[in-house]
Amino acid sequence: MELFFYALISGILYGIFFALVGIGLNLIFGVMRMVNLAHGDFIMLGAFGAWLAYSKLNMNPLLAIPIEIFIFMIIGFGVYYAFVPRLSKSRDPEMLSFILFFGIAQIIEALAIFAFGNNQKSIPFSTLGKGSISILSQSIPFSWVVSAAISLLMIGFVYYYLYFTRTGYATRAIMSSPEEASSVGIDVSKISAFAMGIGLSLAAIAGVLAPFMIGSIDPSIGASLTTTSFAIVVIGSLGKPIGTILGGIIYGLAMMFMQTYLASWTNLVPYVILILILLVKPSGLLGKKVRNA
Amino acid sequence: MLTSVAVPIAQEHKMLLFDPTGTSAKFFSPHNPYLVLTSLPTSGVWPTVLADFLISHKINKVAVIYSANDFNQSQAETLKSKLEAAKIKPVYYHAVPTDTSNYTVLIRTIEATHPKALIEFGYPTNDIAFLQNLQASGAKFNMVFTIFPGQQLALIEKNVGTKALEYTYTYPTPPLLVYNKVNYGMPMSEFEKIYTQTTKRPVDFLTVAGYNAGLIIQKTLATSKEFNQLALRNAINTFSGKLFTLNGLFKINNEGAQIGEFLPVGQFQPTKTGIVLHVVYPQNIATGKPIYPAP
């Protein structure tokens, strides 16, 4: 029973982190209807930013968060204005976005190998606090608790932004229907660029926490993080950022219970859940049925 | 990784492949005369001394976690069979995906089986994640064994810190294992001096393995009477078992696998200035006594 509770608590903490990993991808998809296949590579860049801050500048990696938010917001605006308006005018923007962002992912990975090499890098867990903390009599690494708390804070920020700010209302209006949002005077392009910036910044923050939750980092981790993010987003519901929290927690719990009771099969978890969800509820757990008039 | 691709290509094109460190047992077969492993024994025999150490110290509750690949699986299987032959059944014996980077829950699960020794077979990335998670989890084991601190100490120490390595066990390899009595090439002390002066980098096992591969190739070319692939292979047979380099005895079997070297058991013990590795088994080459259980 002790193992069950340990897996439960670890799974929730791990899941909260993975909700943060996926939420930026879902926000971008919700607003632009484009799948950012370079999402995991932006997370990887965020992770290397934290590593640089720690190993080269002797900074606490958490202090890299505000700097990375600023840098990735600018990158987000750049990526949006360079590619998205042109893609939107094409005949099949969703498919073309797959190809475009796949290419961007490859470029980012190649440049990261040039910059950082292929060796694994890591940050000592103790930089987020030494030892462990007792939760429901279970001894949980302190770095996990800190990482999950920051993830929760960022998810809370997304929730606040979407549901309690004017820009957030506009973002949700675009998610619902870009044409109707435009007809009532919302600057779709500007709000979308802002959403892209937020999406990439969230990826970067997840990257800062990644060395503490997923272990060591290297330039090739982007692809698997994109796949996992995509699975989490689909489980929760594509285009619904808040559904990603549910998707993340389901993923985290499934991973930890599998590691506890059936370790060899752990890697199958995201894909098995994804297939099950697609079979049972294709619109995702929080998705609504689409009514075709 | 590269060796698994190179072996069939070399065999198909009938080209002799000098393999510096690719030790997976599945590379070697009696039907392939085009492969020679220059450093390290094949992975299947690595844990032989480790198993003897566990048995001789009456450590009878052993947990084994290994990455699911040929290199690690062959070691886990050898260890398990040797322990079972001594009537020791591992209390935990599981494979995990090779890309596992988080061992926190696994460590907790293993802790619940109350082992007296925890053996983790993985690649360097696995060892780094495992040692980091072990330290963060606060879990304590009497004995913890990982592979790569004995081969790439600088890399592992940089990533996990010195504290995480204290009292852990490994397979020590050169330069942690010093062979100064050689009959070919430079002894370790001389190589270490020249290499460090020239490159300004510390010597690790991969450096030694690279130099050792060069020595074997040089000796092969000097010995072979003809310049064709099977003549080169036959030339190696003439000096196999007679050549002592800074990597130990070079001896191959009929499959080209290295059988001259063996991997003892070493333990990192703390000192005032950091950690020092002592060979703790077998006793005839031991440089220190094991501190068991770890404090």
Side-chain angles (χ1 to χ4, degrees), chain B residues 19-20 22-23 25 28 35-46 48-49 179 212 216 233 236-237 239-244 247-263:
Chain B
D19 165 17
T23 60
F28 303 93
L35 177 61
V36 170
L37 176 59
T38 58
S39 296
L40 292 173
T42 60
S43 54
V45 302
W46 284 26
T48 310
V49 180
Y179 292 110
N212 192 50
I216 305 300
R233 177 70 174 79
I236 295 168
N237 286 340
F239 61 79
S240 164
K242 298 171 190 163
L243 206 66
F244 280 91
N247 213 28
L249 174 65
F250 172 76
K251 186 178 180 185
I252 54 167
N253 64 11
N254 63 336
E255 298 177 359
Q258 165 70 257
I259 52 170
E261 296 171 31
F262 79 105
L263 295 171

Side-chain angles (χ1 to χ4, degrees), chain A residues 17 21 37-52 68 72 104-121 123 200 202-211 214 216-226 229:
Chain A
F17 165 72
V21 165
L37 281 187
H39 184 73
D41 294 275
F42 285 110
I43 296 174
M44 177 268 291
L45 286 179
F48 272 103
W51 177 78
L52 281 175
E68 291 201 11
F72 280 78
I104 291 175
Q106 298 302 308
I107 291 168
I108 293 173
E109 186 178 332
L111 291 176
I113 291 171
F114 277 129
F116 306 112
N118 264 327
N119 275 345
Q120 299 277 324
K121 308 276 191 293
I123 303 173
L200 296 194
L202 290 167
I205 298 164
V208 171
L209 303 174
I214 61 170
S216 46
I217 54 163
D218 70 79
S220 68
I221 59 170
S224 66
L225 280 171
T226 301
S229 308

Side-chain angles (χ1 to χ4, degrees), chain A residues 2 120 122 144 213-214 264 267, chain B residues 95 99 101-102 108 125 159:
Chain A
E2 198 179 317
Q120 299 277 324
S122 65
W144 277 42
M213 295 302 281
I214 61 170
S264 311
N267 270 12
Chain B
D99 61 1
S101 58
N102 198 317
R108 186 68 181 210
T125 50
N159 280 286

Side-chain angles (χ1 to χ4, degrees), chain B residues 14-61:
Chain B
K14 300 191 181 344
M15 299 293 288
L16 183 62
L17 176 69
F18 288 94
D19 165 17
T21 57
T23 60
S24 177
K26 289 191 179 170
F27 296 155
F28 303 93
S29 76
H31 312 294
N32 181 10
Y34 297 100
L35 177 61
V36 170
L37 176 59
T38 58
S39 296
L40 292 173
T42 60
S43 54
V45 302
W46 284 26
T48 310
V49 180
L50 172 64
D52 291 343
F53 173 81
L54 294 166
I55 295 162
S56 66
H57 285 77
K58 298 187 172 32
I59 300 170
N60 54 12
K61 288 183 82 179

Side-chain angles (χ1 to χ4, degrees), chain A residues 49-88:
Chain A
W51 177 78
L52 281 175
Y54 170 75
S55 61
K56 306 291 176 194
L57 304 175
N58 230 359
M59 279 166 60
N60 186 311
L62 295 186
L63 295 176
I65 289 178
I67 303 167
E68 291 201 11
I69 289 174
F70 178 72
I71 294 170
F72 280 78
M73 279 298 284
I74 293 171
I75 295 173
F77 274 90
V79 169
Y80 178 83
Y81 284 112
F83 303 114
V84 178
R86 290 177 204 190
L87 273 182
S88 304

Side-chain angles (χ1 to χ4, degrees), chain A residues 126-177:
Chain A
S126 56
T127 51
L128 289 196
K130 286 183 181 171
S132 50
I133 190 167
S134 181
I135 302 175
L136 299 176
S137 307
Q138 304 298 316
S139 180
I140 306 289
F142 197 71
S143 56
W144 277 42
V145 179
V146 173
S147 299
I150 294 170
S151 302
L152 210 54
L153 194 71
M154 291 303 146
I155 292 164
F157 160 76
V158 175
Y159 184 78
Y160 178 80
Y161 164 76
L162 286 175
Y163 290 92
F164 296 99
T165 66
R166 284 182 67 83
T167 324
Y169 296 151
T171 308
R172 282 168 54 216
I174 296 169
M175 284 169 146
S176 178
S177 167

